[in-house]
Amino acid sequence: LGYVPTGFLAESMPRVITGVSVTPIATAGTLFMQAIYLRKNMKVSNISTFPTSTGTTLTNHSYGLYDITNRTLLATSANSTTSTVTANAILTKAMTTPYTVPADGLYYVGINFAGTTAPTFAGMTAAGNAAFRGIPPIVCGTSTTGVTTPLPSPAAALTASVNSIWVGIS
């Protein structure tokens, strides 16, 4: 956990390798899922990302924690109807009810932005074979489309993406 920002319990990837702005959500209203490893008894009170652009005319945005096997929603933030987000600053959303992780393992963080254009995020773009990225569990990808509010449960199966984003848990 040497690179985790102060106050965070976990991150999807070390922030020192998130040197690019990526577009994980090509179509606003598409749920993006990012895998993250969480430890037993960790309390998920907040989910954070790092937008590198503001997006445009945002109508809804929310974050959720999902189990990796069935993509069942375990915890969710309130839906925000703020029309913009601040670029180049950590965006934190509180869970409506904190979630205590029952077992060590991979979980998905679901991220949804509805509006004209979703923001870009600090992350990385994978090189290599698309078929290899599609081997379960898929590390990151798009899921349910047409999402405004609330987040879906269960979420649709993932389509693997080349774009992983930084996600922090506190």
Side-chain angles (χ1 to χ4, degrees), residues 7-11 36 38 42-44 46-47 109 167-170:
F8 285 83
L9 304 171
E11 60 186 344
I36 188 166
L38 301 177
M42 186 178 286
K43 185 176 178 183
V44 179
N46 302 289
I47 295 175
V109 170
V167 173
I169 299 292
S170 59

Side-chain angles (χ1 to χ4, degrees), residues 62-131:
S62 53
Y63 295 170
L65 183 68
Y66 286 81
D67 79 85
I68 202 151
T69 305
N70 300 310
R71 298 170 311 281
T72 302
L73 185 62
L74 304 171
T76 186
S77 71
N79 179 55
S80 176
T81 57
T82 305
S83 60
T84 61
V85 297
T86 302
N88 299 312
I90 291 176
L91 173 62
T92 298
K93 293 191 169 289
M95 299 296 94
T96 55
T97 301
Y99 179 77
T100 300
V101 176
D104 290 358
L106 285 176
Y107 293 80
Y108 281 126
V109 170
I111 299 161
N112 179 61
F113 281 84
T116 304
T117 305
T120 56
F121 294 88
M124 62 184 290
T125 300
N129 187 296

Side-chain angles (χ1 to χ4, degrees), residues 4-86:
V4 176
T6 301
F8 285 83
L9 304 171
E11 60 186 344
S12 58
M13 66 185 71
R15 63 186 166 134
V16 297
I17 63 170
T18 59
V20 298
S21 293
V22 297
T23 306
I25 307 167
T27 304
T30 298
L31 183 64
F32 181 80
M33 305 285 258
Q34 176 66 55
I36 188 166
Y37 188 86
L38 301 177
R39 297 203 177 274
K40 182 178 181 176
N41 295 324
M42 186 178 286
K43 185 176 178 183
V44 179
S45 298
N46 302 289
I47 295 175
S48 300
T49 59
F50 194 88
T52 55
S53 73
T54 60
T56 57
T57 319
L58 300 175
T59 55
N60 294 284
H61 48 100
S62 53
Y63 295 170
L65 183 68
Y66 286 81
D67 79 85
I68 202 151
T69 305
N70 300 310
R71 298 170 311 281
T72 302
L73 185 62
L74 304 171
T76 186
S77 71
N79 179 55
S80 176
T81 57
T82 305
S83 60
T84 61
V85 297
T86 302

Side-chain angles (χ1 to χ4, degrees), residues 131-150:
F132 191 57
R133 286 190 300 276
I135 295 172
I138 294 174
V139 175
C140 60
T142 56
S143 178
T144 308
T145 60
V147 179
T148 53
T149 184

